[in-house]
Coordinates of all heavy atoms in Angstrom, one line a residue:
P196 N 98.9 100.3 105.4 CA 98.5 98.9 105.0 C 97.7 98.2 106.0 O 97.7 98.5 107.1 CB 99.9 98.2 104.7 CG 100.8 99.0 105.5 CD 100.3 100.4 105.7
I197 N 97.1 97.1 105.5 CA 96.3 96.2 106.4 C 97.3 95.6 107.5 O 98.4 95.2 107.2 CB 95.6 95.1 105.6 CG1 94.7 94.3 106.5 CG2 96.5 94.3 104.8 CD1 93.7 93.4 105.7
D198 N 96.8 95.4 108.7 CA 97.6 94.8 109.7 C 97.5 93.3 109.7 O 96.4 92.7 109.7 CB 96.9 95.2 111.1 CG 97.5 94.4 112.3 OD1 98.6 93.8 112.1 OD2 96.9 94.6 113.3
P199 N 98.6 92.6 109.3 CA 98.6 91.2 109.1 C 98.3 90.4 110.3 O 97.9 89.2 110.2 CB 100.0 90.9 108.6 CG 100.9 92.1 109.1 CD 100.0 93.2 109.1
N200 N 98.4 91.1 111.5 CA 98.1 90.4 112.7 C 96.6 90.8 113.3 O 96.4 90.7 114.5 CB 99.1 90.7 113.8 CG 100.4 90.3 113.5 OD1 100.6 89.1 113.0 ND2 101.4 91.1 113.6
F201 N 95.7 91.1 112.2 CA 94.4 91.6 112.7 C 93.6 90.6 113.6 O 92.8 90.9 114.3 CB 93.6 92.0 111.5 CG 93.2 90.9 110.6 CD1 92.0 90.2 110.8 CD2 94.0 90.4 109.6 CE1 91.6 89.1 109.9 CE2 93.6 89.3 108.7 CZ 92.4 88.7 108.9
E202 N 93.9 89.3 113.3 CA 93.1 88.3 114.2 C 93.4 88.3 115.6 O 92.6 88.0 116.4 CB 93.4 86.9 113.6 CG 92.7 86.6 112.3 CD 93.0 85.2 111.7 OE1 92.5 84.2 112.2 OE2 94.0 85.1 110.9
T203 N 94.6 88.8 115.9 CA 95.1 89.0 117.3 C 94.7 90.3 117.8 O 94.2 90.5 119.0 CB 96.6 88.8 117.5 OG1 96.9 87.7 116.8 CG2 97.0 89.0 118.9
N204 N 94.8 91.4 117.0 CA 94.7 92.8 117.4 C 93.2 93.2 117.3 O 92.9 94.3 117.8 CB 95.5 93.6 116.6 CG 97.0 93.3 116.7 OD1 97.4 92.8 117.8 ND2 97.8 93.7 115.8
R205 N 92.3 92.5 116.6 CA 90.9 93.0 116.5 C 90.0 91.9 117.0 O 90.4 90.8 117.2 CB 90.6 93.3 115.0 CG 91.4 94.5 114.5 CD 91.1 94.7 113.1 NE 91.7 95.9 112.5 CZ 91.1 96.9 111.8 NH1 89.8 96.8 111.5 NH2 91.7 97.9 111.4
E206 N 88.7 92.3 117.1 CA 87.7 91.2 117.5 C 86.7 91.2 116.4 O 86.3 92.1 115.7 CB 86.9 91.7 118.8 CG 87.7 91.4 120.0 CD 86.9 91.9 121.2 OE1 85.7 91.7 121.3 OE2 87.6 92.3 122.2
K207 N 86.3 89.9 116.2 CA 85.2 89.6 115.2 C 83.9 90.1 115.7 O 83.5 89.7 116.9 CB 85.1 88.1 114.9 CG 84.2 87.7 113.8 CD 84.2 86.2 113.6 CE 83.1 85.8 112.8 NZ 83.0 84.4 112.6
V208 N 83.3 91.0 115.0 CA 82.1 91.7 115.5 C 80.8 91.3 114.7 O 79.8 91.7 115.1 CB 82.3 93.3 115.5 CG1 83.4 93.6 116.6 CG2 82.6 93.8 114.2
D209 N 81.0 90.8 113.6 CA 79.8 90.6 112.7 C 80.1 89.5 111.6 O 81.4 89.1 111.5 CB 79.5 91.9 112.0 CG 78.1 91.9 111.5 OD1 77.3 90.9 111.7 OD2 77.6 93.0 110.9
E210 N 79.2 89.2 110.8 CA 79.5 88.4 109.6 C 78.5 88.9 108.6 O 77.4 89.3 108.7 CB 79.0 87.0 109.9 CG 79.7 86.0 109.0 CD 79.7 84.6 109.6 OE1 80.6 84.3 110.6 OE2 79.0 83.7 109.2
E211 N 79.1 89.0 107.2 CA 78.4 89.7 106.2 C 78.6 88.8 105.0 O 79.8 88.5 104.6 CB 79.0 91.0 105.8 CG 78.1 92.2 106.0 CD 78.7 93.5 105.7 OE1 79.4 93.6 104.7 OE2 78.8 94.4 106.7
D212 N 77.6 88.3 104.3 CA 77.8 87.3 103.1 C 78.6 86.1 103.6 O 79.4 85.6 102.7 CB 78.3 88.1 102.0 CG 77.7 89.3 101.5 OD1 76.4 89.3 101.6 OD2 78.3 90.3 101.2
G213 N 78.4 85.7 104.8 CA 79.3 84.5 105.2 C 80.7 84.9 105.5 O 81.6 84.0 105.7
V214 N 81.0 86.1 105.4 CA 82.5 86.7 105.7 C 82.5 87.3 107.0 O 81.7 88.2 107.4 CB 82.8 87.6 104.5 CG1 84.1 88.3 104.8 CG2 82.8 86.9 103.2
A215 N 83.6 87.0 107.8 CA 83.7 87.5 109.1 C 84.1 89.1 109.0 O 84.8 89.4 108.0 CB 85.0 86.9 109.8
V216 N 83.6 89.9 109.9 CA 84.0 91.4 109.9 C 84.7 91.5 111.2 O 84.2 91.3 112.4 CB 82.7 92.2 109.9 CG1 83.1 93.7 110.0 CG2 82.0 92.0 108.6
W217 N 86.0 92.2 111.2 CA 86.8 92.4 112.3 C 86.7 93.9 112.6 O 87.1 94.7 111.7 CB 88.2 92.0 112.0 CG 88.3 90.5 111.6 CD1 88.0 90.0 110.5 CD2 88.6 89.4 112.5 NE1 88.3 88.5 110.5 CE2 88.5 88.2 111.8 CE3 88.9 89.3 113.9 CZ2 88.8 87.0 112.3 CZ3 89.2 88.1 114.5 CH2 89.1 86.9 113.6
G218 N 86.3 94.2 113.8 CA 86.0 95.6 114.2 C 87.4 96.4 114.5 O 88.4 95.9 114.4
P219 N 87.2 97.6 114.9 CA 85.9 98.3 115.2 C 85.2 98.7 113.9 O 85.8 99.0 113.0 CB 86.3 99.5 116.0 CG 87.7 99.8 115.6 CD 88.4 98.5 115.3
V220 N 83.9 98.8 114.0 CA 83.1 99.2 112.9 C 82.2 100.4 113.4 O 81.6 100.3 114.6 CB 82.2 98.2 112.2 CG1 83.1 97.2 111.5 CG2 81.3 97.5 113.1
D221 N 82.0 101.4 112.5 CA 81.1 102.5 112.9 C 80.6 103.1 111.5 O 81.1 104.1 111.1 CB 81.9 103.6 113.7 CG 80.9 104.7 114.2 OD1 79.7 104.5 114.1 OD2 81.4 105.7 114.6
P222 N 79.7 102.4 110.9 CA 79.3 102.7 109.5 C 78.6 104.2 109.6 O 77.9 104.5 110.5 CB 78.3 101.7 109.1 CG 78.0 100.9 110.3 CD 79.0 101.2 111.5
P223 N 78.7 104.9 108.4 CA 79.3 104.5 107.2 C 80.8 104.8 107.1 O 81.5 104.3 106.1 CB 78.6 105.3 106.1 CG 78.2 106.6 106.8 CD 78.0 106.2 108.3
E224 N 81.4 105.4 108.1 CA 82.8 105.9 108.0 C 83.8 104.8 108.3 O 85.0 104.8 107.8 CB 83.1 107.1 108.9 CG 82.4 108.4 108.5 CD 81.0 108.4 109.2 OE1 80.7 107.5 110.1 OE2 80.3 109.3 109.0
K225 N 83.5 103.8 109.2 CA 84.4 102.8 109.6 C 83.8 101.4 109.5 O 82.8 101.1 110.1 CB 84.7 103.0 111.1 CG 86.0 102.4 111.5 CD 86.9 103.2 112.4 CE 88.2 102.5 112.8 NZ 89.1 102.1 111.6
L226 N 84.4 100.7 108.5 CA 83.8 99.4 108.1 C 84.6 98.2 108.5 O 84.1 97.1 108.4 CB 83.6 99.4 106.6 CG 82.7 100.6 106.1 CD1 82.6 100.6 104.6 CD2 81.2 100.4 106.7
G227 N 85.8 98.3 109.0 CA 86.6 97.2 109.5 C 87.2 96.4 108.4 O 87.2 96.8 107.2
I228 N 87.7 95.2 108.9 CA 88.4 94.2 108.0 C 87.4 93.1 107.6 O 86.8 92.5 108.6 CB 89.7 93.7 108.6 CG1 90.8 94.8 108.7 CG2 90.2 92.5 107.8 CD1 92.1 94.4 109.3
H229 N 87.3 92.8 106.4 CA 86.3 91.8 106.0 C 87.0 90.6 105.5 O 87.9 90.6 104.6 CB 85.4 92.3 104.9 CG 84.4 93.4 105.4 ND1 83.1 93.3 105.0 CD2 84.6 94.4 106.3 CE1 82.5 94.3 105.6 NE2 83.3 95.0 106.3
G230 N 86.8 89.4 106.0 CA 87.4 88.1 105.6 C 88.5 87.7 106.6 O 88.9 88.5 107.4
T231 N 88.9 86.4 106.5 CA 89.8 85.9 107.4 C 91.0 85.3 106.6 O 92.1 85.8 106.7 CB 89.3 84.8 108.4 OG1 88.1 85.5 109.0 CG2 90.3 84.3 109.3
H232 N 90.8 84.2 105.8 CA 91.8 83.7 105.0 C 92.3 84.8 103.9 O 93.5 85.1 103.7 CB 91.4 82.5 104.3 CG 92.4 81.8 103.4 ND1 93.4 81.1 103.8 CD2 92.7 82.0 102.1 CE1 94.2 80.7 102.8 NE2 93.8 81.3 101.8
V233 N 91.3 85.4 103.3 CA 91.5 86.5 102.3 C 90.8 87.7 103.1 O 89.6 87.7 103.1 CB 90.8 86.3 101.0 CG1 91.1 87.5 100.1 CG2 91.4 85.0 100.3
A234 N 91.6 88.6 103.5 CA 91.1 89.7 104.3 C 91.3 91.0 103.6 O 92.4 91.3 103.1 CB 91.9 89.9 105.6
V235 N 90.2 91.9 103.5 CA 90.3 93.2 102.9 C 90.0 94.2 104.0 O 88.9 94.2 104.6 CB 89.3 93.3 101.8 CG1 89.3 94.8 101.1 CG2 89.5 92.2 100.7
D236 N 90.9 95.2 104.1 CA 90.6 96.3 105.1 C 89.8 97.3 104.3 O 90.3 98.1 103.4 CB 91.9 96.9 105.5 CG 91.7 97.9 106.7 OD1 90.6 98.6 106.6 OD2 92.6 98.0 107.6
F237 N 88.4 97.3 104.6 CA 87.5 98.2 103.9 C 87.9 99.7 104.2 O 87.4 100.6 103.4 CB 86.1 98.0 104.3 CG 85.4 96.9 103.6 CD1 86.1 95.8 103.0 CD2 84.0 96.9 103.4 CE1 85.4 94.8 102.2 CE2 83.4 95.9 102.7 CZ 84.1 94.9 102.1
D238 N 88.6 100.0 105.2 CA 88.8 101.3 105.6 C 90.1 101.9 104.8 O 90.4 103.1 104.8 CB 89.0 101.5 107.1 CG 87.7 101.2 107.8 OD1 86.6 101.8 107.3 OD2 87.7 100.4 108.8
I239 N 90.9 100.9 104.2 CA 92.0 101.3 103.4 C 91.7 101.2 101.9 O 92.1 102.0 101.0 CB 93.2 100.4 103.7 CG1 93.6 100.7 105.1 CG2 94.4 100.7 102.7 CD1 94.8 99.7 105.5
C240 N 90.9 100.2 101.5 CA 90.4 100.0 100.1 C 89.9 101.2 99.5 O 89.0 102.0 100.0 CB 89.4 98.9 100.1 SG 88.7 98.6 98.4
I241 N 90.4 101.6 98.2 CA 89.9 102.7 97.5 C 89.0 102.3 96.3 O 88.7 103.1 95.3 CB 91.0 103.6 97.0 CG1 92.0 102.8 96.2 CG2 91.8 104.2 98.2 CD1 93.1 103.7 95.5
G242 N 88.7 101.0 96.2 CA 87.8 100.5 95.2 C 88.5 100.4 93.9 O 87.8 100.5 92.9
D243 N 89.8 100.3 93.9 CA 90.6 100.1 92.6 C 90.1 99.0 91.6 O 90.0 99.2 90.5 CB 92.0 99.9 93.0 CG 92.9 99.8 91.7 OD1 93.4 100.9 91.3 OD2 93.1 98.6 91.4
G244 N 89.8 97.8 92.2 CA 89.3 96.8 91.5 C 90.2 95.8 90.8 O 89.9 94.8 90.2
A245 N 91.5 96.1 90.8 CA 92.6 95.2 90.2 C 92.4 93.8 90.9 O 92.7 92.8 90.2 CB 93.9 95.8 90.4
C246 N 92.2 93.7 92.2 CA 92.2 92.5 92.8 C 91.1 91.6 92.2 O 91.3 90.4 91.9 CB 91.9 92.7 94.4 SG 90.5 93.6 94.7
L247 N 89.9 92.2 92.1 CA 88.7 91.4 91.6 C 89.0 91.0 90.1 O 88.7 89.9 89.7 CB 87.5 92.3 91.6 CG 86.1 91.8 91.3 CD1 85.1 92.4 92.1 CD2 85.9 92.2 89.8
E248 N 89.6 91.9 89.3 CA 89.9 91.6 87.9 C 90.9 90.5 87.7 O 90.8 89.7 86.9 CB 90.4 92.9 87.2 CG 89.2 93.8 86.8 CD 89.7 95.2 86.5 OE1 90.8 95.3 85.9 OE2 89.1 96.2 86.7
D249 N 91.9 90.5 88.6 CA 93.0 89.5 88.5 C 92.9 88.2 89.2 O 93.5 87.3 88.8 CB 94.3 90.2 89.0 CG 94.8 91.3 88.0 OD1 94.2 91.6 87.0 OD2 95.9 91.8 88.3
C250 N 92.0 88.2 90.1 CA 91.8 86.8 90.8 C 91.4 85.7 90.0 O 90.3 85.9 89.3 CB 90.8 87.0 92.0 SG 90.6 85.4 92.9
P251 N 92.2 84.7 89.8 CA 91.9 83.7 88.9 C 90.6 82.8 89.3 O 90.1 82.0 88.4 CB 93.2 82.8 88.8 CG 93.9 83.1 90.1 CD 93.5 84.5 90.6
V252 N 90.2 82.8 90.5 CA 89.1 82.0 90.9 C 87.9 82.8 91.4 O 87.0 82.2 92.1 CB 89.6 81.0 92.0 CG1 90.5 79.9 91.4 CG2 90.3 81.6 93.2
D253 N 87.9 84.1 91.1 CA 86.8 84.9 91.4 C 86.3 85.0 92.8 O 85.1 84.7 93.1 CB 85.5 84.4 90.5 CG 84.5 85.3 90.3 OD1 84.6 86.6 90.5 OD2 83.4 84.9 90.0
V254 N 87.2 85.2 93.7 CA 87.0 85.3 95.1 C 86.0 86.5 95.5 O 85.3 86.4 96.5 CB 88.3 85.3 96.0 CG1 88.1 85.8 97.4 CG2 88.9 83.9 96.0
F255 N 86.4 87.7 94.8 CA 85.7 88.9 95.3 C 84.4 89.4 94.6 O 84.2 89.0 93.4 CB 86.7 90.0 95.0 CG 88.1 89.8 95.6 CD1 89.1 89.3 94.9 CD2 88.3 90.0 97.0 CE1 90.4 89.1 95.5 CE2 89.6 89.9 97.6 CZ 90.6 89.4 96.8
S256 N 83.6 90.0 95.4 CA 82.4 90.6 94.8 C 82.3 92.0 95.2 O 82.8 92.4 96.3 CB 81.1 89.9 95.4 OG 81.0 88.6 95.0
W257 N 81.8 93.0 94.2 CA 81.7 94.4 94.7 C 80.6 94.5 95.6 O 79.5 93.8 95.5 CB 81.3 95.2 93.4 CG 82.4 95.4 92.5 CD1 82.5 95.0 91.2 CD2 83.6 96.2 92.6 NE1 83.6 95.4 90.6 CE2 84.3 96.1 91.5 CE3 84.1 96.8 93.8 CZ2 85.7 96.7 91.4 CZ3 85.4 97.4 93.7 CH2 86.1 97.4 92.4
V258 N 80.7 95.4 96.6 CA 79.7 95.8 97.5 C 79.7 97.3 97.5 O 80.7 98.0 97.4 CB 79.8 95.2 98.9 CG1 79.6 93.7 98.9 CG2 81.1 95.6 99.5
D259 N 78.5 97.9 97.8 CA 78.3 99.3 97.8 C 78.6 99.8 99.2 O 78.0 99.2 100.2 CB 76.9 99.7 97.4 CG 76.7 99.6 95.9 OD1 77.7 99.7 95.1 OD2 75.6 99.1 95.5
T260 N 79.4 100.8 99.4 CA 79.7 101.4 100.7 C 79.5 102.9 100.6 O 80.5 103.6 100.8 CB 81.0 101.0 101.2 OG1 82.0 101.4 100.2 CG2 81.2 99.5 101.3
P261 N 78.3 103.4 100.4 CA 78.0 104.8 100.3 C 78.5 105.6 101.5 O 78.3 105.1 102.7 CB 76.5 104.9 100.1 CG 76.0 103.6 100.6 CD 77.0 102.6 100.4
D262 N 79.0 106.8 101.3 CA 79.5 107.7 102.3 C 80.8 107.2 103.0 O 81.1 107.8 104.1 CB 78.4 108.0 103.3 CG 77.2 108.7 102.6 OD1 77.4 109.5 101.7 OD2 76.1 108.3 103.0
H263 N 81.4 106.1 102.6 CA 82.7 105.8 103.2 C 83.8 106.8 102.6 O 83.7 107.1 101.4 CB 83.2 104.4 102.9 CG 84.4 104.0 103.6 ND1 85.7 104.2 103.2 CD2 84.6 103.5 104.9 CE1 86.6 103.9 104.0 NE2 86.0 103.4 105.1
P264 N 84.6 107.4 103.4 CA 85.6 108.4 103.0 C 86.5 108.0 101.9 O 86.9 108.8 101.1 CB 86.3 108.8 104.3 CG 85.9 107.8 105.4 CD 84.7 107.2 104.9
E265 N 87.0 106.8 101.8 CA 87.9 106.3 100.8 C 87.2 106.0 99.4 O 87.9 106.2 98.3 CB 88.7 105.1 101.3 CG 89.6 105.5 102.5 CD 90.6 106.6 102.3 OE1 90.9 106.8 101.1 OE2 91.0 107.2 103.3
S266 N 86.1 105.4 99.4 CA 85.4 105.0 98.2 C 84.0 104.4 98.5 O 83.8 104.0 99.6 CB 86.3 103.8 97.5 OG 86.3 102.7 98.3
D267 N 83.1 104.6 97.5 CA 81.8 104.1 97.8 C 81.5 102.7 97.2 O 80.4 102.2 97.1 CB 80.8 105.1 97.1 CG 81.0 105.3 95.7 OD1 81.8 104.6 95.1 OD2 80.4 106.3 95.2
V268 N 82.6 102.0 96.8 CA 82.5 100.5 96.5 C 83.7 99.8 97.2 O 84.8 100.5 97.3 CB 82.5 100.2 95.0 CG1 81.1 100.6 94.4 CG2 83.7 100.8 94.3
K269 N 83.5 98.6 97.6 CA 84.5 97.8 98.2 C 84.5 96.4 97.6 O 83.5 96.0 97.0 CB 84.5 97.7 99.7 CG 84.4 99.0 100.4 CD 85.6 99.8 100.5 CE 85.3 101.2 101.2 NZ 86.5 102.1 101.1
V270 N 85.5 95.5 97.9 CA 85.4 94.1 97.5 C 85.3 93.2 98.6 O 86.1 93.1 99.5 CB 86.7 93.7 96.6 CG1 86.7 94.3 95.2 CG2 88.0 94.1 97.2
Q271 N 84.1 92.5 98.6 CA 83.9 91.5 99.7 C 84.6 90.2 99.2 O 84.3 89.7 98.1 CB 82.4 91.2 99.7 CG 82.0 90.5 101.0 CD 81.8 91.4 102.1 OE1 82.9 91.6 102.8 NE2 80.6 91.7 102.5
P272 N 85.4 89.6 100.1 CA 86.1 88.3 99.7 C 85.0 87.1 99.9 O 85.2 86.2 100.7 CB 87.2 88.1 100.7 CG 86.9 88.9 101.9 CD 86.0 90.0 101.4
A273 N 83.9 87.2 99.2 CA 82.8 86.3 99.4 C 83.0 84.9 99.2 O 82.3 84.0 99.7 CB 81.6 86.8 98.5
R274 N 84.0 84.6 98.3 CA 84.3 83.2 98.1 C 85.8 82.9 98.5 O 86.6 82.3 97.8 CB 84.1 82.9 96.6 CG 82.6 82.8 96.2 CD 82.4 82.9 94.7 NE 82.8 84.1 94.2 CZ 82.2 85.3 94.3 NH1 81.0 85.4 94.8 NH2 82.7 86.4 93.7
E275 N 86.1 83.3 99.6 CA 87.5 83.2 100.1 C 88.0 81.7 100.3 O 89.1 81.4 100.2 CB 87.8 84.0 101.5 CG 86.9 83.5 102.6 CD 87.2 84.2 103.9 OE1 88.3 84.9 104.1 OE2 86.3 84.3 104.7
D276 N 86.9 80.9 100.4 CA 87.3 79.5 100.6 C 87.8 78.9 99.2 O 88.3 77.8 99.2 CB 86.0 78.6 101.0 CG 84.8 78.9 100.1 OD1 84.6 80.0 99.7 OD2 84.1 77.9 99.7
Q277 N 87.6 79.5 98.1 CA 88.1 79.1 96.8 C 89.5 79.5 96.5 O 90.1 79.1 95.6 CB 87.2 79.7 95.7 CG 85.7 79.5 95.8 CD 85.4 78.0 95.5 OE1 85.8 77.5 94.5 NE2 84.8 77.4 96.5
C278 N 90.1 80.4 97.4 CA 91.4 81.0 97.2 C 92.5 80.0 97.0 O 92.5 79.0 97.9 CB 91.7 81.9 98.4 SG 93.4 82.6 98.4
I279 N 93.4 80.2 96.1 CA 94.5 79.2 95.8 C 95.8 79.9 96.2 O 96.9 79.3 95.8 CB 94.5 78.7 94.4 CG1 94.6 79.9 93.4 CG2 93.2 77.8 94.0 CD1 94.8 79.6 91.9
D280 N 95.8 80.9 97.0 CA 97.0 81.5 97.6 C 98.0 81.9 96.4 O 99.2 81.8 96.7 CB 97.6 80.6 98.5 CG 96.8 80.2 99.6 OD1 95.9 81.0 100.0 OD2 96.9 79.1 100.2
C281 N 97.5 82.4 95.4 CA 98.4 82.8 94.3 C 99.1 84.2 94.6 O 100.1 84.6 94.1 CB 97.7 83.0 92.9 SG 96.5 84.4 92.8
M282 N 98.5 85.0 95.6 CA 99.0 86.4 96.0 C 98.9 87.4 95.0 O 99.4 88.5 95.2 CB 100.5 86.2 96.4 CG 100.6 85.2 97.7 SD 99.7 85.9 99.1 CE 99.8 84.4 100.2
L283 N 98.2 87.2 93.9 CA 98.1 88.3 92.9 C 97.4 89.5 93.5 O 97.8 90.6 93.2 CB 97.3 87.8 91.6 CG 98.0 87.2 90.5 CD1 97.0 86.7 89.4 CD2 98.9 88.3 89.9
C284 N 96.3 89.2 94.1 CA 95.5 90.4 94.7 C 96.4 91.2 95.6 O 96.3 92.5 95.6 CB 94.3 89.9 95.4 SG 94.5 88.7 96.8
V285 N 97.2 90.6 96.5 CA 98.1 91.2 97.4 C 99.0 92.2 96.7 O 99.2 93.2 97.0 CB 98.7 90.2 98.3 CG1 99.8 90.9 99.2 CG2 97.8 89.5 99.2
D286 N 99.6 91.5 95.6 CA 100.6 92.3 94.8 C 100.0 93.4 94.0 O 100.7 94.4 93.8 CB 101.2 91.3 93.8 CG 102.1 90.3 94.5 OD1 102.4 90.5 95.7 OD2 102.4 89.3 94.0
V287 N 98.8 93.3 93.5 CA 98.3 94.4 92.6 C 97.6 95.6 93.4 O 97.4 96.6 92.8 CB 97.4 93.9 91.6 CG1 98.0 92.9 90.6 CG2 96.1 93.3 92.1
C288 N 97.2 95.3 94.6 CA 96.4 96.3 95.4 C 97.3 97.6 95.5 O 98.4 97.4 96.2 CB 95.8 95.9 96.7 SG 95.0 97.2 97.5
P289 N 96.9 98.7 95.0 CA 97.7 100.0 95.1 C 97.9 100.4 96.5 O 98.8 101.3 96.8 CB 97.1 101.0 94.2 CG 95.7 100.5 94.2 CD 95.7 99.1 94.3
V290 N 97.0 100.1 97.4 CA 97.0 100.7 98.8 C 97.3 99.6 99.8 O 97.1 99.9 101.1 CB 95.8 101.5 99.1 CG1 95.7 102.7 98.3 CG2 94.6 100.6 98.9
D291 N 97.7 98.4 99.4 CA 98.0 97.3 100.4 C 96.9 97.1 101.3 O 97.1 97.0 102.6 CB 99.3 97.6 101.2 CG 100.5 97.5 100.3 OD1 100.5 96.7 99.4 OD2 101.5 98.2 100.6
A292 N 95.7 96.9 100.8 CA 94.5 96.7 101.7 C 94.2 95.2 101.9 O 93.2 94.9 102.6 CB 93.3 97.3 101.0
I293 N 95.0 94.3 101.2 CA 94.6 92.9 101.3 C 95.7 92.1 102.0 O 96.8 92.3 101.7 CB 94.4 92.3 99.9 CG1 93.3 93.2 99.1 CG2 93.9 90.8 100.0 CD1 93.0 92.6 97.7
D294 N 95.2 91.2 102.8 CA 96.2 90.2 103.4 C 95.7 88.8 103.1 O 94.5 88.5 103.4 CB 96.2 90.4 104.9 CG 97.2 89.4 105.7 OD1 98.4 89.4 105.4 OD2 96.7 88.6 106.5
V295 N 96.6 87.9 102.5 CA 96.2 86.5 102.4 C 97.1 85.7 103.1 O 98.3 85.9 103.2 CB 96.3 86.1 100.8 CG1 96.1 84.6 100.6 CG2 95.3 86.9 100.0
D296 N 96.5 84.8 103.9 CA 97.3 84.0 104.9 C 97.2 82.5 104.5 O 96.4 81.8 104.9 CB 96.7 84.2 106.3 CG 97.6 83.7 107.3 OD1 98.8 83.3 107.1 OD2 97.2 83.6 108.6
P297 N 98.2 82.1 103.7 CA 98.3 80.7 103.3 C 98.4 79.8 104.5 O 99.1 80.1 105.4 CB 99.5 80.6 102.4 CG 100.0 82.0 102.1 CD 99.5 82.8 103.2
G298 N 97.8 78.6 104.3 CA 97.9 77.6 105.5 C 97.1 78.2 106.6 O 96.6 77.6 107.5
Ligands
LIG304 FE1 92.4 85.3 94.4 FE2 95.0 84.7 94.4 FE3 94.0 86.7 96.0 FE4 93.4 84.2 96.5 S1 95.5 85.1 96.5 S2 92.1 85.9 96.5 S3 93.3 83.2 94.5 S4 94.1 86.6 93.6
LIG305 FE1 90.3 97.7 97.0 FE2 92.8 97.2 96.6 FE3 91.0 95.7 95.5 S1 92.0 99.2 96.6 S2 89.3 97.0 95.2 S3 91.4 95.9 97.7 S4 92.9 96.3 94.5

């Protein structure tokens, strides 16, 4: 599962679509954790899509990640500022790739 303490244990190495990227990253195999309030571990995500379908405020956007070992699509939390902390995405993800930190 995603490390809930990633902000302490990792370093912010980049920004993509206005979303922080927490390393290490070594594309295309290692893509890091994307987002802060709503964080998706791209290296765990298998592109299931339940999070994107269930989010009531449309926080996520599909992004292509060709040649990543787990899946060739991921969900960018591009509108994480819209998140209402309902926790649906956290609950539905089959591989526990998402961390939402209310407050
Ligand atoms: Fe969307 Fe709820 Fe997840 Fe926030 S916690 S990103 S509102 S599904
Ligand atoms: Fe990925 Fe989990 Fe969503 S596998 S697409 S973060 S439901």
Side-chain angles (χ1 to χ4, degrees):
I197 186 170
D198 174 7
N200 299 315
F201 68 90
E202 285 178 80
T203 305
N204 296 336
R205 293 178 177 228
E206 278 181 40
K207 186 178 162 181
V208 294
D209 199 1
E210 206 161 282
E211 245 176 53
D212 308 323
V214 171
V216 179
W217 303 82
V220 296
D221 185 16
E224 293 91 4
K225 195 137 185 63
L226 301 173
I228 290 177
H229 290 226
T231 304
H232 179 87
V233 180
V235 180
D236 192 323
F237 272 30
D238 296 310
I239 296 175
C240 173
I241 57 171
D243 176 88
C246 57
L247 181 146
E248 284 167 27
D249 287 3
C250 178
V252 292
D253 197 24
V254 161
F255 303 101
S256 294
W257 287 117
V258 291
D259 291 324
T260 57
D262 300 321
H263 187 271
E265 297 301 335
S266 59
D267 56 12
V268 289
K269 310 288 179 185
V270 287
Q271 191 84 280
R274 289 164 297 282
E275 62 180 336
D276 56 319
Q277 303 291 304
C278 176
I279 56 171
D280 301 329
C281 72
M282 297 297 170
L283 266 177
C284 58
V285 173
D286 292 342
V287 296
C288 179
V290 289
D291 289 332
I293 307 180
D294 180 63
V295 174
D296 192 9

